[in-house]
Amino acid sequence: MVRGLSAQLTVLKLGGSVITDKEKPLTPNLAAIERLAKEISRANVSPLVLVHGGGSFGHPVAEQYGLSEGYKDSSQIMGFSITHQVMTKLNKLIVGSLINHNIPAVEVQPSSCVVTKAGRIQSMEDRPLRKMFEMGFVPVLYGDVVFDSENGFAILSGDQLVSSLAMNLDARRIVVGVDVNGLYTGDPKTDSLARLIRHITLEELKNLEPLIEGSKVTDVTGGMLGKMFELKPAVEHGIQTIIVNAAEPNRVYKALKGEKVVGTVIER
Amino acid sequence: MVRGLSAQLTVLKLGGSVITDKEKPLTPNLAAIERLAKEISRANVSPLVLVHGGGSFGHPVAEQYGLSEGYKDSSQIMGFSITHQVMTKLNKLIVGSLINHNIPAVEVQPSSCVVTKAGRIQSMEDRPLRKMFEMGFVPVLYGDVVFDSENGFAILSGDQLVSSLAMNLDARRIVVGVDVNGLYTGDPKTDSLARLIRHITLEELKNLEPLIEGSKVTDVTGGMLGKMFELKPAVEHGIQTIIVNAAEPNRVYKALKGEKVVGTVIER
């Protein structure tokens, strides 16, 4: 039964740059959160696992305390606590909005069930998570500060979570919502010649990587190239992956429904 | 190193009836939360694990949807989501208050790392938790709705968590903060002859149980007798346990410090 359900599983990532105001620390984009909750409710895709990024919640605090380098000294301890606390604030807004739209969303706290090793997921207790989507809940995870067996702690990006979950749960599809239309051959915000890549294979991606590097999505966990680095193993695993602009209405909805939509499809 | 630290571990339970206004749904007792955060900060006991109850947050919602009976029909699904969501609201207030008092508190979500079987803890991923207190953090858990391998879901009381954690982590002491002075030989609120039991052994407890039954602490997870049922295995395990009135200033502080305090000490 688990396998059967997993084979239908969609993992949706909502980028921190969409659900928060990137320019203002600790400022959610409530209109975007509300609209996306409606789109997810309307799409009514099941089972579904949602992962969101930190945007202006997690990143500035994590940066302030140098958490990405792991544990260096005790001054970071309070920084870890505060970073997790602000991430749960953002998570509560998203879960709350989903519940308001009648989606049985349940937070899943990565730092309580994941241990990393040198920044990479080493183990994850996923039994509660599996139970959740088997029963019709929508688990909502997030980029988080987590404990690391080598470095004390680490920042676990939403993108690493997405890829790891999708592979471990044998998901069918990954939908990644960002604040640009998809993968470009350059930075669409500064380069007028940059064009959107509508479909790409892993082989083609290898050749394009030097170009994609120019496409900046602000995110301390690594921009578009960092995203691709995380998503590639899942694509390699056979999971169809689509990147869409979640800041544009209906793109996430259409991607969830499997309808034709502006974006970048990545396939093996 | 883990063993050495665990041998010093104190597990503190803060009853839902102290940190919330029992009479008003979803109403925290902010003054009590603030005072208790100060007491915990002043006591400066390390390592420390904190567990809190649901009070007027979790209980009314869980009751409304009949969650304590496990999964019966799909109408409970939203109830589970909402119950967890309100519990995290309460948890955020407590963690936030601890952080304000310079305690590196970190939420640990029971429903993401515990699976129960017929309401009893079957497995718990506790590696992140162990890492936390090894590094000097104060993990903050709470009574929660969790997934259950037999009944779909279950209510996991803070008291069951306290006892299970204390045993698994080989804690030294358990401090249980409630809204009465300790164990009485009757209900102190209605029976003027009820007297406080200052010290009791498990053997003596057996004989007194019919009397204690009269002592009501409002809590859908089982009053004082339910509490004793959960705590007994930990006491049997050799963990000194003290019940104090957390609604009275300084009782939790003194209990944490191991100072003489009004309350009930339970020993093997």
Side-chain angles (χ1 to χ4, degrees):
Chain A
M1 175 181 155
V2 178
R3 251 209 117 60
L5 265 181
S6 281
Q8 297 302 316
L9 179 67
T10 302
V11 180
L12 169 63
K13 165 80 195 295
L14 294 178
S17 54
V18 177
I19 53 176
T20 71
D21 182 335
K22 291 183 290 187
E23 311 302 331
K24 294 183 197 144
L26 303 179
T27 308
N29 184 336
L30 293 176
I33 292 171
E34 179 70 8
R35 175 181 53 76
L36 288 163
K38 269 186 209 160
E39 291 187 31
I40 294 164
S41 173
R42 209 152 45 86
N44 196 22
V45 165
S46 177
L48 176 69
V49 171
L50 204 152
V51 179
H52 65 81
S56 66
F57 279 72
H59 295 302
V61 193
E63 212 161 356
Q64 184 190 334
Y65 287 90
L67 300 187
S68 63
E69 296 141 42
Y71 179 78
K72 302 285 176 209
D73 64 70
S74 60
S75 70
Q76 297 170 299
I77 296 285
M78 283 308 297
F80 184 104
S81 289
I82 296 166
T83 302
H84 176 70
Q85 179 81 344
V86 299
M87 280 309 300
T88 64
K89 253 182 210 163
L90 179 58
N91 180 261
K92 288 203 68 52
L93 291 173
I94 291 161
V95 171
S97 182
L98 291 167
I99 288 176
N100 286 342
H101 290 284
N102 219 27
I103 299 166
V106 181
E107 162 204 21
V108 174
Q109 178 195 353
S111 41
S112 71
C113 55
V114 174
V115 174
T116 57
K117 185 178 176 180
R120 309 303 302 171
I121 295 174
Q122 184 179 27
S123 71
M124 174 166 186
E125 164 59 296
D126 63 5
R127 273 183 299 174
L129 180 74
R130 284 175 192 266
K131 267 266 172 203
M132 269 183 217
F133 72 76
E134 272 174 54
M135 293 182 72
F137 291 98
V138 175
V140 184
L141 298 92
Y142 44 95
D144 198 4
V145 277
V146 299
F147 292 92
D148 189 281
S149 59
E150 235 165 58
N151 302 330
F153 46 65
I155 294 178
L156 173 62
S157 74
D159 292 320
Q160 187 185 160
L161 258 179
V162 163
S163 190
S164 168
L165 284 173
M167 287 188 288
N168 288 335
L169 303 172
D170 272 322
R172 191 170 62 96
R173 307 179 66 222
I174 294 174
V175 175
V176 182
V178 293
D179 65 348
V180 290
N181 287 340
L183 276 183
Y184 278 84
T185 58
D187 185 352
K189 284 170 186 169
T190 56
D191 177 2
S192 63
L193 292 175
R195 72 179 175 78
L196 179 66
I197 302 160
R198 298 297 295 254
H199 186 280
I200 195 165
T201 62
L202 283 182
E203 190 59 32
E204 293 166 341
L205 185 61
K206 215 178 281 172
N207 304 320
L208 277 171
E209 270 170 7
L211 291 170
I212 295 165
E213 199 157 12
S215 171
K216 284 186 192 74
V217 171
T218 41
D219 181 338
V220 300
T221 49
M224 214 38 131
L225 209 60
K227 247 179 230 315
M228 295 319 301
F229 169 78
E230 294 296 356
L231 293 171
K232 274 195 294 190
V235 177
E236 186 60 59
H237 196 84
I239 302 165
Q240 206 209 60
T241 299
I242 182 164
I243 300 175
V244 293
N245 194 338
E248 292 290 334
N250 279 319
R251 301 268 174 97
V252 165
Y253 168 80
K254 284 181 180 170
L256 286 174
K257 295 294 272 185
E259 293 176 7
K260 206 171 142 52
V261 59
V262 176
T264 302
V265 172
I266 311 161
E267 271 172 319
R268 186 159 52 175
Chain B
M1 177 180 155
V2 178
R3 248 206 121 60
L5 265 179
S6 281
Q8 296 303 316
L9 179 66
T10 302
V11 179
L12 169 63
K13 165 80 195 296
L14 293 179
S17 55
V18 176
I19 54 176
T20 71
D21 182 334
K22 291 183 291 186
E23 311 301 332
K24 295 182 197 146
L26 303 179
T27 308
N29 184 335
L30 293 176
I33 292 171
E34 180 69 8
R35 175 181 54 77
L36 287 163
K38 269 187 207 160
E39 291 186 30
I40 294 165
S41 174
R42 208 152 46 86
N44 196 23
V45 165
S46 177
L48 176 70
V49 170
L50 204 151
V51 179
H52 64 80
S56 68
F57 279 73
H59 296 301
V61 193
E63 211 161 356
Q64 184 189 335
Y65 288 90
L67 300 186
S68 64
E69 296 140 43
Y71 179 80
K72 302 285 176 208
D73 64 72
S74 60
S75 70
Q76 296 169 299
I77 295 285
M78 284 308 298
F80 183 104
S81 290
I82 296 167
T83 303
H84 177 70
Q85 180 81 344
V86 299
M87 280 309 300
T88 64
K89 252 181 213 164
L90 179 58
N91 180 262
K92 288 203 69 52
L93 292 173
I94 291 160
V95 171
S97 182
L98 291 167
I99 288 176
N100 286 343
H101 289 284
N102 219 28
I103 299 166
V106 181
E107 162 203 21
V108 174
Q109 178 195 353
S111 42
S112 71
C113 55
V114 174
V115 174
T116 57
K117 185 177 178 181
R120 308 303 302 171
I121 295 174
Q122 184 179 29
S123 71
M124 174 167 187
E125 164 59 296
D126 63 6
R127 272 182 301 173
L129 180 74
R130 284 175 191 268
K131 267 266 172 201
M132 270 183 217
F133 72 76
E134 272 174 54
M135 292 182 72
F137 291 98
V138 175
V140 184
L141 299 93
Y142 44 95
D144 198 3
V145 278
V146 299
F147 293 92
D148 189 281
S149 60
E150 235 166 58
N151 302 330
F153 46 64
I155 294 177
L156 173 61
S157 73
D159 292 319
Q160 186 184 160
L161 258 178
V162 163
S163 190
S164 169
L165 283 173
M167 287 188 287
N168 289 334
L169 302 172
D170 272 322
R172 191 170 62 96
R173 305 178 67 222
I174 294 174
V175 175
V176 181
V178 293
D179 65 348
V180 290
N181 288 339
L183 276 183
Y184 278 84
T185 56
D187 184 352
K189 283 168 188 170
T190 56
D191 177 4
S192 62
L193 291 176
R195 72 179 175 78
L196 179 67
I197 302 160
R198 299 296 296 253
H199 186 279
I200 195 165
T201 62
L202 284 181
E203 189 59 34
E204 293 166 342
L205 185 61
K206 214 179 282 172
N207 304 321
L208 277 171
E209 270 169 8
L211 291 171
I212 294 164
E213 198 157 12
S215 169
K216 284 188 193 71
V217 172
T218 41
D219 180 338
V220 298
T221 50
M224 214 38 132
L225 209 59
K227 245 177 233 314
M228 294 319 300
F229 170 78
E230 294 297 355
L231 292 171
K232 274 194 294 189
V235 176
E236 186 60 58
H237 196 83
I239 302 165
Q240 206 209 58
T241 298
I242 182 164
I243 301 174
V244 294
N245 194 338
E248 292 289 335
N250 279 319
R251 300 268 173 97
V252 165
Y253 169 79
K254 284 182 179 169
L256 287 174
K257 295 294 272 185
E259 293 177 7
K260 205 172 142 54
V261 58
V262 175
T264 302
V265 173
I266 311 161
E267 272 173 318
R268 187 158 51 174

